[in-house]
Amino acid sequence: MTMPADRQESPTVSHTPTPGLDGWITHTDLASRDPAATRTWAAKVFGWTFMPPMPMGAGEYHLFAYTDQGGGGIRQTEPDETPGALPYVHVADAHAAFAEAVAAGAEPVRQPERIMEGVTIAIVRAPGGVMIGISGP
């Protein structure tokens, strides 16, 4: 599972990381066959609040929050993708954390990429096969 590559950085959107969250899962990317239905269900069952959807090449990205420190997004699955979730761990430096993860035995899946001001993401496959996202400045 990966966040689609067609997501364009917006010059008007930026993010300032909350101090003290390094090592926390602060974003979860949910890939759904029906993002609108998943959004409605999660709002009703969990009380998640949503921002207005962000347009993406394959549909809309529904950003949600469950606390001031955590949230995520719901997006359309890619053609051959199984629905699921990808946690993103907050780090102080996404490039350094990615390099350290690979040096420690993870397989690189997505190289660090700045997606908006203040946010760079990357994805690795940790030993044992689990996918982990990395997110930070």
Side-chain angles (χ1 to χ4, degrees):
M1 293 173 283
T2 61
M3 189 174 292
D6 61 1
R7 183 171 177 174
Q8 300 268 325
E9 180 178 331
S10 171
T12 60
V13 177
S14 67
H15 174 73
T16 303
T18 304
L21 298 181
D22 293 347
W24 288 31
I25 294 173
T26 57
H27 185 90
T28 303
D29 185 56
L30 301 175
S32 170
R33 289 190 187 112
D34 186 343
T38 302
R39 173 189 172 142
T40 300
W41 176 84
K44 180 178 180 180
V45 173
F46 302 126
W48 292 353
T49 57
F50 288 84
M51 302 286 293
M54 294 182 354
M56 294 176 59
E60 296 178 322
Y61 195 67
H62 303 271
L63 286 170
F64 63 87
Y66 45 81
T67 71
D68 290 341
Q69 291 92 15
I74 303 170
R75 63 174 175 81
Q76 180 69 45
T77 51
E78 294 183 25
D80 293 328
E81 181 180 17
T82 301
L86 176 64
Y88 280 82
V89 177
H90 186 274
V91 297
D93 179 326
H95 289 274
F98 178 81
E100 183 178 348
V102 171
E107 173 190 339
V109 174
R110 181 176 181 180
Q111 296 289 320
E113 175 187 359
R114 181 177 158 190
I115 60 167
M116 71 174 70
E117 181 65 35
V119 180
T120 296
I121 63 170
I123 301 171
V124 297
R125 186 179 314 278
V130 66
M131 300 267 277
I132 301 285
I134 295 168
S135 176

